[in-house]
PDB file of all heavy atoms in Angstrom:
ATOM      1  N   LEU A   1      -4.542  12.843  -9.917  1.00 94.00           N
ATOM      2  CA  LEU A   1      -4.352  12.147 -11.107  1.00 94.00           C
ATOM      3  C   LEU A   1      -5.562  12.174 -12.008  1.00 94.00           C
ATOM      4  O   LEU A   1      -5.416  12.254 -13.290  1.00 94.00           O
ATOM      5  CB  LEU A   1      -3.934  10.690 -10.819  1.00 94.00           C
ATOM      6  CG  LEU A   1      -2.476  10.511 -10.268  1.00 94.00           C
ATOM      7  CD1 LEU A   1      -2.267   9.156  -9.681  1.00 94.00           C
ATOM      8  CD2 LEU A   1      -1.365  10.855 -11.309  1.00 94.00           C
ATOM      9  N   LYS A   2      -6.777  12.220 -11.422  1.00 94.00           N
ATOM     10  CA  LYS A   2      -7.990  12.150 -12.161  1.00 94.00           C
ATOM     11  C   LYS A   2      -8.373  13.672 -12.504  1.00 94.00           C
ATOM     12  O   LYS A   2      -9.355  13.785 -13.295  1.00 94.00           O
ATOM     13  CB  LYS A   2      -9.161  11.513 -11.355  1.00 94.00           C
ATOM     14  CG  LYS A   2      -8.921  10.011 -11.168  1.00 94.00           C
ATOM     15  CD  LYS A   2      -9.426   9.337 -12.442  1.00 94.00           C
ATOM     16  CE  LYS A   2      -9.523   7.805 -12.284  1.00 94.00           C
ATOM     17  NZ  LYS A   2     -10.114   7.081 -13.448  1.00 94.00           N
ATOM     18  N   GLY A   3      -7.740  14.607 -11.975  1.00 93.00           N
ATOM     19  CA  GLY A   3      -8.002  15.986 -12.198  1.00 93.00           C
ATOM     20  C   GLY A   3      -9.312  16.398 -11.544  1.00 93.00           C
ATOM     21  O   GLY A   3     -10.097  17.291 -12.081  1.00 93.00           O
ATOM     22  N   ILE A   4      -9.670  15.856 -10.410  1.00 95.00           N
ATOM     23  CA  ILE A   4     -10.797  16.209  -9.684  1.00 95.00           C
ATOM     24  C   ILE A   4     -10.482  17.242  -8.465  1.00 95.00           C
ATOM     25  O   ILE A   4      -9.670  17.027  -7.785  1.00 95.00           O
ATOM     26  CB  ILE A   4     -11.368  14.860  -9.047  1.00 95.00           C
ATOM     27  CG1 ILE A   4     -11.618  13.769 -10.049  1.00 95.00           C
ATOM     28  CG2 ILE A   4     -12.680  15.230  -8.227  1.00 95.00           C
ATOM     29  CD1 ILE A   4     -12.486  14.131 -11.134  1.00 95.00           C
ATOM     30  N   LYS A   5     -11.262  18.353  -8.507  1.00 96.00           N
ATOM     31  CA  LYS A   5     -11.001  19.357  -7.604  1.00 96.00           C
ATOM     32  C   LYS A   5     -11.734  18.882  -6.284  1.00 96.00           C
ATOM     33  O   LYS A   5     -12.820  18.344  -6.184  1.00 96.00           O
ATOM     34  CB  LYS A   5     -11.601  20.636  -8.045  1.00 96.00           C
ATOM     35  CG  LYS A   5     -10.877  21.278  -9.209  1.00 96.00           C
ATOM     36  CD  LYS A   5     -11.451  22.543  -9.562  1.00 96.00           C
ATOM     37  CE  LYS A   5     -10.617  23.199 -10.796  1.00 96.00           C
ATOM     38  NZ  LYS A   5     -11.309  24.573 -11.079  1.00 96.00           N
ATOM     39  N   TYR A   6     -11.082  19.246  -5.102  1.00 97.00           N
ATOM     40  CA  TYR A   6     -11.655  18.741  -3.823  1.00 97.00           C
ATOM     41  C   TYR A   6     -11.289  19.766  -2.697  1.00 97.00           C
ATOM     42  O   TYR A   6     -10.305  20.530  -2.818  1.00 97.00           O
ATOM     43  CB  TYR A   6     -11.154  17.399  -3.526  1.00 97.00           C
ATOM     44  CG  TYR A   6      -9.731  17.425  -3.307  1.00 97.00           C
ATOM     45  CD1 TYR A   6      -9.036  17.470  -1.918  1.00 97.00           C
ATOM     46  CD2 TYR A   6      -8.727  17.137  -4.250  1.00 97.00           C
ATOM     47  CE1 TYR A   6      -7.842  17.385  -1.727  1.00 97.00           C
ATOM     48  CE2 TYR A   6      -7.509  16.952  -4.032  1.00 97.00           C
ATOM     49  CZ  TYR A   6      -6.939  17.145  -2.789  1.00 97.00           C
ATOM     50  OH  TYR A   6      -5.525  17.045  -2.607  1.00 97.00           O
ATOM     51  N   GLU A   7     -11.933  19.735  -1.709  1.00 97.00           N
ATOM     52  CA  GLU A   7     -11.647  20.503  -0.442  1.00 97.00           C
ATOM     53  C   GLU A   7     -11.014  19.589   0.629  1.00 97.00           C
ATOM     54  O   GLU A   7     -11.573  18.613   0.876  1.00 97.00           O
ATOM     55  CB  GLU A   7     -12.893  21.152   0.133  1.00 97.00           C
ATOM     56  CG  GLU A   7     -12.745  21.888   1.377  1.00 97.00           C
ATOM     57  CD  GLU A   7     -13.919  22.412   2.069  1.00 97.00           C
ATOM     58  OE1 GLU A   7     -15.089  22.355   1.537  1.00 97.00           O
ATOM     59  OE2 GLU A   7     -13.838  22.902   3.292  1.00 97.00           O
ATOM     60  N   TYR A   8      -9.946  20.072   1.053  1.00 98.00           N
ATOM     61  CA  TYR A   8      -9.197  19.265   2.156  1.00 98.00           C
ATOM     62  C   TYR A   8      -9.554  19.746   3.495  1.00 98.00           C
ATOM     63  O   TYR A   8      -9.461  21.019   3.718  1.00 98.00           O
ATOM     64  CB  TYR A   8      -7.712  19.199   1.885  1.00 98.00           C
ATOM     65  CG  TYR A   8      -6.897  18.534   3.023  1.00 98.00           C
ATOM     66  CD1 TYR A   8      -7.040  17.099   3.144  1.00 98.00           C
ATOM     67  CD2 TYR A   8      -6.310  19.207   3.953  1.00 98.00           C
ATOM     68  CE1 TYR A   8      -6.280  16.494   4.087  1.00 98.00           C
ATOM     69  CE2 TYR A   8      -5.629  18.622   5.027  1.00 98.00           C
ATOM     70  CZ  TYR A   8      -5.518  17.207   5.000  1.00 98.00           C
ATOM     71  OH  TYR A   8      -4.890  16.566   6.057  1.00 98.00           O
ATOM     72  N   ILE A   9      -9.892  18.807   4.407  1.00 98.00           N
ATOM     73  CA  ILE A   9     -10.245  19.253   5.772  1.00 98.00           C
ATOM     74  C   ILE A   9      -9.303  18.559   6.739  1.00 98.00           C
ATOM     75  O   ILE A   9      -9.299  17.327   6.823  1.00 98.00           O
ATOM     76  CB  ILE A   9     -11.789  18.852   6.047  1.00 98.00           C
ATOM     77  CG1 ILE A   9     -12.742  19.561   5.123  1.00 98.00           C
ATOM     78  CG2 ILE A   9     -12.067  19.089   7.551  1.00 98.00           C
ATOM     79  CD1 ILE A   9     -14.101  18.987   5.157  1.00 98.00           C
ATOM     80  N   GLU A  10      -8.493  19.270   7.317  1.00 98.00           N
ATOM     81  CA  GLU A  10      -7.474  18.798   8.345  1.00 98.00           C
ATOM     82  C   GLU A  10      -8.146  18.368   9.634  1.00 98.00           C
ATOM     83  O   GLU A  10      -8.898  19.042  10.293  1.00 98.00           O
ATOM     84  CB  GLU A  10      -6.425  19.856   8.602  1.00 98.00           C
ATOM     85  CG  GLU A  10      -5.415  19.375   9.585  1.00 98.00           C
ATOM     86  CD  GLU A  10      -4.259  18.415   9.039  1.00 98.00           C
ATOM     87  OE1 GLU A  10      -4.325  18.276   7.821  1.00 98.00           O
ATOM     88  OE2 GLU A  10      -3.680  17.684   9.819  1.00 98.00           O
ATOM     89  N   GLU A  11      -7.879  17.221  10.064  1.00 98.00           N
ATOM     90  CA  GLU A  11      -8.453  16.543  11.286  1.00 98.00           C
ATOM     91  C   GLU A  11      -7.282  16.646  12.468  1.00 98.00           C
ATOM     92  O   GLU A  11      -6.088  16.454  12.124  1.00 98.00           O
ATOM     93  CB  GLU A  11      -9.014  15.304  11.200  1.00 98.00           C
ATOM     94  CG  GLU A  11     -10.221  15.127  10.318  1.00 98.00           C
ATOM     95  CD  GLU A  11     -11.414  15.725  11.024  1.00 98.00           C
ATOM     96  OE1 GLU A  11     -11.417  15.968  12.236  1.00 98.00           O
ATOM     97  OE2 GLU A  11     -12.480  15.900  10.324  1.00 98.00           O
ATOM     98  N   ASP A  12      -7.773  16.589  13.648  1.00 96.00           N
ATOM     99  CA  ASP A  12      -6.847  16.551  14.845  1.00 96.00           C
ATOM    100  C   ASP A  12      -7.135  15.261  15.508  1.00 96.00           C
ATOM    101  O   ASP A  12      -8.257  14.887  15.907  1.00 96.00           O
ATOM    102  CB  ASP A  12      -7.138  17.742  15.740  1.00 96.00           C
ATOM    103  CG  ASP A  12      -6.199  17.686  16.989  1.00 96.00           C
ATOM    104  OD1 ASP A  12      -5.583  16.734  17.242  1.00 96.00           O
ATOM    105  OD2 ASP A  12      -6.290  18.753  17.684  1.00 96.00           O
ATOM    106  N   ARG A  13      -6.126  14.399  15.553  1.00 91.00           N
ATOM    107  CA  ARG A  13      -6.261  12.925  16.142  1.00 91.00           C
ATOM    108  C   ARG A  13      -6.782  13.079  17.520  1.00 91.00           C
ATOM    109  O   ARG A  13      -7.528  12.270  17.920  1.00 91.00           O
ATOM    110  CB  ARG A  13      -4.963  12.280  16.046  1.00 91.00           C
ATOM    111  CG  ARG A  13      -4.617  11.766  14.672  1.00 91.00           C
ATOM    112  CD  ARG A  13      -3.272  11.049  14.778  1.00 91.00           C
ATOM    113  NE  ARG A  13      -2.791  10.412  13.596  1.00 91.00           N
ATOM    114  CZ  ARG A  13      -1.721   9.771  13.285  1.00 91.00           C
ATOM    115  NH1 ARG A  13      -0.750   9.858  14.236  1.00 91.00           N
ATOM    116  NH2 ARG A  13      -1.418   9.269  12.147  1.00 91.00           N
ATOM    117  N   SER A  14      -6.410  14.013  18.248  1.00 92.00           N
ATOM    118  CA  SER A  14      -6.839  14.091  19.650  1.00 92.00           C
ATOM    119  C   SER A  14      -8.108  14.846  19.919  1.00 92.00           C
ATOM    120  O   SER A  14      -8.668  14.825  20.962  1.00 92.00           O
ATOM    121  CB  SER A  14      -5.699  14.738  20.473  1.00 92.00           C
ATOM    122  OG  SER A  14      -5.413  16.042  20.080  1.00 92.00           O
ATOM    123  N   ASN A  15      -8.561  15.502  18.866  1.00 95.00           N
ATOM    124  CA  ASN A  15      -9.832  16.198  18.825  1.00 95.00           C
ATOM    125  C   ASN A  15     -10.666  16.084  17.605  1.00 95.00           C
ATOM    126  O   ASN A  15     -10.661  17.038  16.844  1.00 95.00           O
ATOM    127  CB  ASN A  15      -9.509  17.668  19.339  1.00 95.00           C
ATOM    128  CG  ASN A  15     -10.835  18.512  19.615  1.00 95.00           C
ATOM    129  OD1 ASN A  15     -11.817  17.955  19.903  1.00 95.00           O
ATOM    130  ND2 ASN A  15     -10.847  19.785  19.363  1.00 95.00           N
ATOM    131  N   LYS A  16     -11.074  14.864  17.371  1.00 96.00           N
ATOM    132  CA  LYS A  16     -11.778  14.678  16.042  1.00 96.00           C
ATOM    133  C   LYS A  16     -13.045  15.485  15.861  1.00 96.00           C
ATOM    134  O   LYS A  16     -13.767  15.634  16.841  1.00 96.00           O
ATOM    135  CB  LYS A  16     -12.033  13.240  15.881  1.00 96.00           C
ATOM    136  CG  LYS A  16     -10.803  12.372  15.931  1.00 96.00           C
ATOM    137  CD  LYS A  16     -11.054  10.857  16.051  1.00 96.00           C
ATOM    138  CE  LYS A  16      -9.735  10.084  16.153  1.00 96.00           C
ATOM    139  NZ  LYS A  16      -9.956   8.724  16.331  1.00 96.00           N
ATOM    140  N   SER A  17     -13.230  15.886  14.666  1.00 97.00           N
ATOM    141  CA  SER A  17     -14.431  16.777  14.314  1.00 97.00           C
ATOM    142  C   SER A  17     -15.709  16.031  14.391  1.00 97.00           C
ATOM    143  O   SER A  17     -15.709  14.749  14.330  1.00 97.00           O
ATOM    144  CB  SER A  17     -14.283  17.395  12.971  1.00 97.00           C
ATOM    145  OG  SER A  17     -14.423  16.425  11.945  1.00 97.00           O
ATOM    146  N   ASP A  18     -16.842  16.708  14.715  1.00 97.00           N
ATOM    147  CA  ASP A  18     -18.051  16.089  14.761  1.00 97.00           C
ATOM    148  C   ASP A  18     -18.461  15.432  13.303  1.00 97.00           C
ATOM    149  O   ASP A  18     -19.019  14.416  13.354  1.00 97.00           O
ATOM    150  CB  ASP A  18     -19.202  17.115  15.112  1.00 97.00           C
ATOM    151  CG  ASP A  18     -19.004  17.617  16.517  1.00 97.00           C
ATOM    152  OD1 ASP A  18     -18.438  16.842  17.293  1.00 97.00           O
ATOM    153  OD2 ASP A  18     -19.557  18.562  16.808  1.00 97.00           O
ATOM    154  N   GLU A  19     -17.907  16.145  12.285  1.00 97.00           N
ATOM    155  CA  GLU A  19     -18.241  15.667  10.902  1.00 97.00           C
ATOM    156  C   GLU A  19     -17.581  14.194  10.672  1.00 97.00           C
ATOM    157  O   GLU A  19     -18.021  13.321  10.107  1.00 97.00           O
ATOM    158  CB  GLU A  19     -17.719  16.588   9.901  1.00 97.00           C
ATOM    159  CG  GLU A  19     -18.465  17.897   9.662  1.00 97.00           C
ATOM    160  CD  GLU A  19     -18.228  18.882  10.830  1.00 97.00           C
ATOM    161  OE1 GLU A  19     -17.255  18.517  11.626  1.00 97.00           O
ATOM    162  OE2 GLU A  19     -18.952  19.867  10.807  1.00 97.00           O
ATOM    163  N   LEU A  20     -16.231  14.146  11.237  1.00 98.00           N
ATOM    164  CA  LEU A  20     -15.523  12.787  10.993  1.00 98.00           C
ATOM    165  C   LEU A  20     -16.123  11.774  11.747  1.00 98.00           C
ATOM    166  O   LEU A  20     -16.454  10.625  11.293  1.00 98.00           O
ATOM    167  CB  LEU A  20     -14.101  13.048  11.506  1.00 98.00           C
ATOM    168  CG  LEU A  20     -13.256  11.814  11.484  1.00 98.00           C
ATOM    169  CD1 LEU A  20     -13.038  11.293   9.998  1.00 98.00           C
ATOM    170  CD2 LEU A  20     -11.849  12.034  12.038  1.00 98.00           C
ATOM    171  N   VAL A  21     -16.637  11.999  12.975  1.00 97.00           N
ATOM    172  CA  VAL A  21     -17.242  11.038  13.795  1.00 97.00           C
ATOM    173  C   VAL A  21     -18.721  10.598  13.194  1.00 97.00           C
ATOM    174  O   VAL A  21     -19.057   9.426  13.141  1.00 97.00           O
ATOM    175  CB  VAL A  21     -17.569  11.473  15.294  1.00 97.00           C
ATOM    176  CG1 VAL A  21     -18.342  10.482  16.025  1.00 97.00           C
ATOM    177  CG2 VAL A  21     -16.093  11.821  15.899  1.00 97.00           C
ATOM    178  N   LYS A  22     -19.321  11.499  12.555  1.00 97.00           N
ATOM    179  CA  LYS A  22     -20.580  11.334  11.858  1.00 97.00           C
ATOM    180  C   LYS A  22     -20.408  10.478  10.573  1.00 97.00           C
ATOM    181  O   LYS A  22     -21.177   9.536  10.456  1.00 97.00           O
ATOM    182  CB  LYS A  22     -21.284  12.664  11.466  1.00 97.00           C
ATOM    183  CG  LYS A  22     -22.623  12.462  10.871  1.00 97.00           C
ATOM    184  CD  LYS A  22     -23.198  13.722  10.409  1.00 97.00           C
ATOM    185  CE  LYS A  22     -22.482  14.458   9.351  1.00 97.00           C
ATOM    186  NZ  LYS A  22     -23.213  15.615   8.748  1.00 97.00           N
ATOM    187  N   TYR A  23     -19.323  10.804   9.840  1.00 98.00           N
ATOM    188  CA  TYR A  23     -19.168  10.102   8.595  1.00 98.00           C
ATOM    189  C   TYR A  23     -18.537   8.770   8.717  1.00 98.00           C
ATOM    190  O   TYR A  23     -18.622   7.859   7.905  1.00 98.00           O
ATOM    191  CB  TYR A  23     -18.204  10.960   7.705  1.00 98.00           C
ATOM    192  CG  TYR A  23     -18.859  12.228   7.182  1.00 98.00           C
ATOM    193  CD1 TYR A  23     -18.192  13.439   7.057  1.00 98.00           C
ATOM    194  CD2 TYR A  23     -20.252  12.288   6.786  1.00 98.00           C
ATOM    195  CE1 TYR A  23     -18.786  14.641   6.558  1.00 98.00           C
ATOM    196  CE2 TYR A  23     -20.773  13.383   6.119  1.00 98.00           C
ATOM    197  CZ  TYR A  23     -20.108  14.571   6.142  1.00 98.00           C
ATOM    198  OH  TYR A  23     -20.659  15.730   5.712  1.00 98.00           O
ATOM    199  N   ASN A  24     -17.676   8.617   9.838  1.00 98.00           N
ATOM    200  CA  ASN A  24     -17.067   7.356  10.126  1.00 98.00           C
ATOM    201  C   ASN A  24     -17.225   6.967  11.550  1.00 98.00           C
ATOM    202  O   ASN A  24     -16.324   6.908  12.340  1.00 98.00           O
ATOM    203  CB  ASN A  24     -15.520   7.401   9.730  1.00 98.00           C
ATOM    204  CG  ASN A  24     -14.843   6.070   9.770  1.00 98.00           C
ATOM    205  OD1 ASN A  24     -15.511   4.981   9.935  1.00 98.00           O
ATOM    206  ND2 ASN A  24     -13.554   6.073   9.399  1.00 98.00           N
ATOM    207  N   PRO A  25     -18.459   6.548  11.916  1.00 97.00           N
ATOM    208  CA  PRO A  25     -18.794   6.328  13.380  1.00 97.00           C
ATOM    209  C   PRO A  25     -18.150   5.076  13.843  1.00 97.00           C
ATOM    210  O   PRO A  25     -18.072   4.937  15.112  1.00 97.00           O
ATOM    211  CB  PRO A  25     -20.283   6.181  13.199  1.00 97.00           C
ATOM    212  CG  PRO A  25     -20.654   5.715  11.889  1.00 97.00           C
ATOM    213  CD  PRO A  25     -19.679   6.397  11.040  1.00 97.00           C
ATOM    214  N   ILE A  26     -17.810   4.139  13.008  1.00 96.00           N
ATOM    215  CA  ILE A  26     -17.256   2.773  13.537  1.00 96.00           C
ATOM    216  C   ILE A  26     -15.814   2.991  13.940  1.00 96.00           C
ATOM    217  O   ILE A  26     -15.320   2.733  15.080  1.00 96.00           O
ATOM    218  CB  ILE A  26     -17.337   1.772  12.521  1.00 96.00           C
ATOM    219  CG1 ILE A  26     -18.967   1.496  12.228  1.00 96.00           C
ATOM    220  CG2 ILE A  26     -16.688   0.417  13.039  1.00 96.00           C
ATOM    221  CD1 ILE A  26     -19.764   1.067  13.369  1.00 96.00           C
ATOM    222  N   TYR A  27     -14.976   3.513  13.025  1.00 96.00           N
ATOM    223  CA  TYR A  27     -13.534   3.602  13.238  1.00 96.00           C
ATOM    224  C   TYR A  27     -13.114   5.010  13.665  1.00 96.00           C
ATOM    225  O   TYR A  27     -12.070   5.220  14.344  1.00 96.00           O
ATOM    226  CB  TYR A  27     -12.746   3.269  12.008  1.00 96.00           C
ATOM    227  CG  TYR A  27     -12.939   1.788  11.544  1.00 96.00           C
ATOM    228  CD1 TYR A  27     -13.634   1.499  10.359  1.00 96.00           C
ATOM    229  CD2 TYR A  27     -12.400   0.800  12.312  1.00 96.00           C
ATOM    230  CE1 TYR A  27     -13.785   0.084  10.020  1.00 96.00           C
ATOM    231  CE2 TYR A  27     -12.519  -0.550  12.071  1.00 96.00           C
ATOM    232  CZ  TYR A  27     -13.271  -0.890  10.745  1.00 96.00           C
ATOM    233  OH  TYR A  27     -13.464  -2.106  10.381  1.00 96.00           O
ATOM    234  N   LYS A  28     -13.924   6.048  13.303  1.00 96.00           N
ATOM    235  CA  LYS A  28     -13.552   7.476  13.566  1.00 96.00           C
ATOM    236  C   LYS A  28     -12.260   7.834  13.193  1.00 96.00           C
ATOM    237  O   LYS A  28     -11.483   8.434  13.897  1.00 96.00           O
ATOM    238  CB  LYS A  28     -13.802   7.733  15.149  1.00 96.00           C
ATOM    239  CG  LYS A  28     -15.100   7.420  15.627  1.00 96.00           C
ATOM    240  CD  LYS A  28     -15.228   7.559  17.147  1.00 96.00           C
ATOM    241  CE  LYS A  28     -16.709   7.286  17.625  1.00 96.00           C
ATOM    242  NZ  LYS A  28     -16.958   5.853  17.523  1.00 96.00           N
ATOM    243  N   GLN A  29     -11.777   7.429  12.002  1.00 97.00           N
ATOM    244  CA  GLN A  29     -10.490   7.606  11.408  1.00 97.00           C
ATOM    245  C   GLN A  29     -10.603   8.206  10.041  1.00 97.00           C
ATOM    246  O   GLN A  29     -11.550   8.109   9.276  1.00 97.00           O
ATOM    247  CB  GLN A  29      -9.711   6.328  11.413  1.00 97.00           C
ATOM    248  CG  GLN A  29      -9.344   5.681  12.704  1.00 97.00           C
ATOM    249  CD  GLN A  29      -8.705   4.345  12.691  1.00 97.00           C
ATOM    250  OE1 GLN A  29      -8.654   3.759  11.596  1.00 97.00           O
ATOM    251  NE2 GLN A  29      -8.029   3.947  13.670  1.00 97.00           N
ATOM    252  N   VAL A  30      -9.505   8.849   9.672  1.00 98.00           N
ATOM    253  CA  VAL A  30      -9.288   9.192   8.303  1.00 98.00           C
ATOM    254  C   VAL A  30      -8.508   8.259   7.508  1.00 98.00           C
ATOM    255  O   VAL A  30      -7.946   7.331   8.007  1.00 98.00           O
ATOM    256  CB  VAL A  30      -8.433  10.566   8.226  1.00 98.00           C
ATOM    257  CG1 VAL A  30      -9.097  11.643   9.135  1.00 98.00           C
ATOM    258  CG2 VAL A  30      -7.094  10.370   8.834  1.00 98.00           C
ATOM    259  N   PRO A  31      -8.747   8.201   6.148  1.00 98.00           N
ATOM    260  CA  PRO A  31      -9.387   9.195   5.317  1.00 98.00           C
ATOM    261  C   PRO A  31     -10.930   8.847   5.194  1.00 98.00           C
ATOM    262  O   PRO A  31     -11.395   7.862   5.334  1.00 98.00           O
ATOM    263  CB  PRO A  31      -8.654   9.125   3.997  1.00 98.00           C
ATOM    264  CG  PRO A  31      -8.325   7.631   3.930  1.00 98.00           C
ATOM    265  CD  PRO A  31      -7.985   7.220   5.416  1.00 98.00           C
ATOM    266  N   VAL A  32     -11.599   9.965   5.014  1.00 98.00           N
ATOM    267  CA  VAL A  32     -13.012   9.936   4.602  1.00 98.00           C
ATOM    268  C   VAL A  32     -13.141  10.776   3.329  1.00 98.00           C
ATOM    269  O   VAL A  32     -12.713  11.961   3.326  1.00 98.00           O
ATOM    270  CB  VAL A  32     -13.862  10.437   5.696  1.00 98.00           C
ATOM    271  CG1 VAL A  32     -15.383  10.405   5.107  1.00 98.00           C
ATOM    272  CG2 VAL A  32     -13.846   9.442   6.904  1.00 98.00           C
ATOM    273  N   LEU A  33     -13.680  10.291   2.311  1.00 98.00           N
ATOM    274  CA  LEU A  33     -14.021  10.968   1.134  1.00 98.00           C
ATOM    275  C   LEU A  33     -15.656  11.270   1.193  1.00 98.00           C
ATOM    276  O   LEU A  33     -16.340  10.421   1.483  1.00 98.00           O
ATOM    277  CB  LEU A  33     -13.803  10.247  -0.175  1.00 98.00           C
ATOM    278  CG  LEU A  33     -14.206  10.831  -1.426  1.00 98.00           C
ATOM    279  CD1 LEU A  33     -13.230  12.078  -1.889  1.00 98.00           C
ATOM    280  CD2 LEU A  33     -14.367   9.858  -2.600  1.00 98.00           C
ATOM    281  N   VAL A  34     -16.021  12.637   0.956  1.00 98.00           N
ATOM    282  CA  VAL A  34     -17.342  12.843   1.108  1.00 98.00           C
ATOM    283  C   VAL A  34     -17.645  13.537  -0.337  1.00 98.00           C
ATOM    284  O   VAL A  34     -17.133  14.433  -0.749  1.00 98.00           O
ATOM    285  CB  VAL A  34     -17.667  14.046   2.092  1.00 98.00           C
ATOM    286  CG1 VAL A  34     -19.245  14.246   2.122  1.00 98.00           C
ATOM    287  CG2 VAL A  34     -17.226  13.484   3.493  1.00 98.00           C
ATOM    288  N   HIS A  35     -18.626  12.792  -0.982  1.00 97.00           N
ATOM    289  CA  HIS A  35     -18.980  13.096  -2.321  1.00 97.00           C
ATOM    290  C   HIS A  35     -20.502  13.432  -2.423  1.00 97.00           C
ATOM    291  O   HIS A  35     -21.210  12.432  -2.186  1.00 97.00           O
ATOM    292  CB  HIS A  35     -18.603  11.947  -3.361  1.00 97.00           C
ATOM    293  CG  HIS A  35     -18.913  12.314  -4.769  1.00 97.00           C
ATOM    294  ND1 HIS A  35     -19.278  11.402  -5.723  1.00 97.00           N
ATOM    295  CD2 HIS A  35     -18.920  13.500  -5.456  1.00 97.00           C
ATOM    296  CE1 HIS A  35     -19.402  11.986  -6.784  1.00 97.00           C
ATOM    297  NE2 HIS A  35     -19.348  13.213  -6.702  1.00 97.00           N
ATOM    298  N   ASN A  36     -20.859  14.588  -2.648  1.00 96.00           N
ATOM    299  CA  ASN A  36     -22.267  15.023  -2.620  1.00 96.00           C
ATOM    300  C   ASN A  36     -22.957  14.687  -1.297  1.00 96.00           C
ATOM    301  O   ASN A  36     -23.965  14.214  -1.264  1.00 96.00           O
ATOM    302  CB  ASN A  36     -22.962  14.380  -3.806  1.00 96.00           C
ATOM    303  CG  ASN A  36     -22.616  14.945  -5.121  1.00 96.00           C
ATOM    304  OD1 ASN A  36     -22.162  16.066  -5.286  1.00 96.00           O
ATOM    305  ND2 ASN A  36     -22.710  14.202  -6.211  1.00 96.00           N
ATOM    306  N   GLY A  37     -22.142  14.833  -0.277  1.00 96.00           N
ATOM    307  CA  GLY A  37     -22.771  14.647   1.021  1.00 96.00           C
ATOM    308  C   GLY A  37     -22.684  13.241   1.630  1.00 96.00           C
ATOM    309  O   GLY A  37     -23.041  12.945   2.666  1.00 96.00           O
ATOM    310  N   LYS A  38     -22.169  12.302   0.710  1.00 97.00           N
ATOM    311  CA  LYS A  38     -22.213  10.879   1.091  1.00 97.00           C
ATOM    312  C   LYS A  38     -20.730  10.457   1.415  1.00 97.00           C
ATOM    313  O   LYS A  38     -19.873  10.698   0.516  1.00 97.00           O
ATOM    314  CB  LYS A  38     -22.775  10.039  -0.126  1.00 97.00           C
ATOM    315  CG  LYS A  38     -24.294  10.254  -0.310  1.00 97.00           C
ATOM    316  CD  LYS A  38     -24.806   9.392  -1.483  1.00 97.00           C
ATOM    317  CE  LYS A  38     -26.196   9.663  -1.676  1.00 97.00           C
ATOM    318  NZ  LYS A  38     -26.704   8.763  -2.866  1.00 97.00           N
ATOM    319  N   PRO A  39     -20.512   9.848   2.589  1.00 98.00           N
ATOM    320  CA  PRO A  39     -19.104   9.557   2.960  1.00 98.00           C
ATOM    321  C   PRO A  39     -18.711   8.124   2.409  1.00 98.00           C
ATOM    322  O   PRO A  39     -19.574   7.218   2.434  1.00 98.00           O
ATOM    323  CB  PRO A  39     -19.223   9.546   4.473  1.00 98.00           C
ATOM    324  CG  PRO A  39     -20.582   9.117   4.792  1.00 98.00           C
ATOM    325  CD  PRO A  39     -21.454   9.714   3.743  1.00 98.00           C
ATOM    326  N   ILE A  40     -17.470   7.978   2.078  1.00 98.00           N
ATOM    327  CA  ILE A  40     -16.856   6.639   1.779  1.00 98.00           C
ATOM    328  C   ILE A  40     -15.583   6.591   2.642  1.00 98.00           C
ATOM    329  O   ILE A  40     -14.815   7.534   2.744  1.00 98.00           O
ATOM    330  CB  ILE A  40     -16.501   6.608   0.282  1.00 98.00           C
ATOM    331  CG1 ILE A  40     -17.709   6.839  -0.554  1.00 98.00           C
ATOM    332  CG2 ILE A  40     -15.838   5.223   0.045  1.00 98.00           C
ATOM    333  CD1 ILE A  40     -17.942   8.141  -1.091  1.00 98.00           C
TER     334      ILE A  40
END
């Protein structure tokens, strides 16, 4: 809706990526938005 281009990264619930665990170490869940290397 905002017209922002982004890259989508598909995660596997049973085999979560190292990036997801690093970006969301508490919940280890999606979604995670990474903007300029900073996760939200």
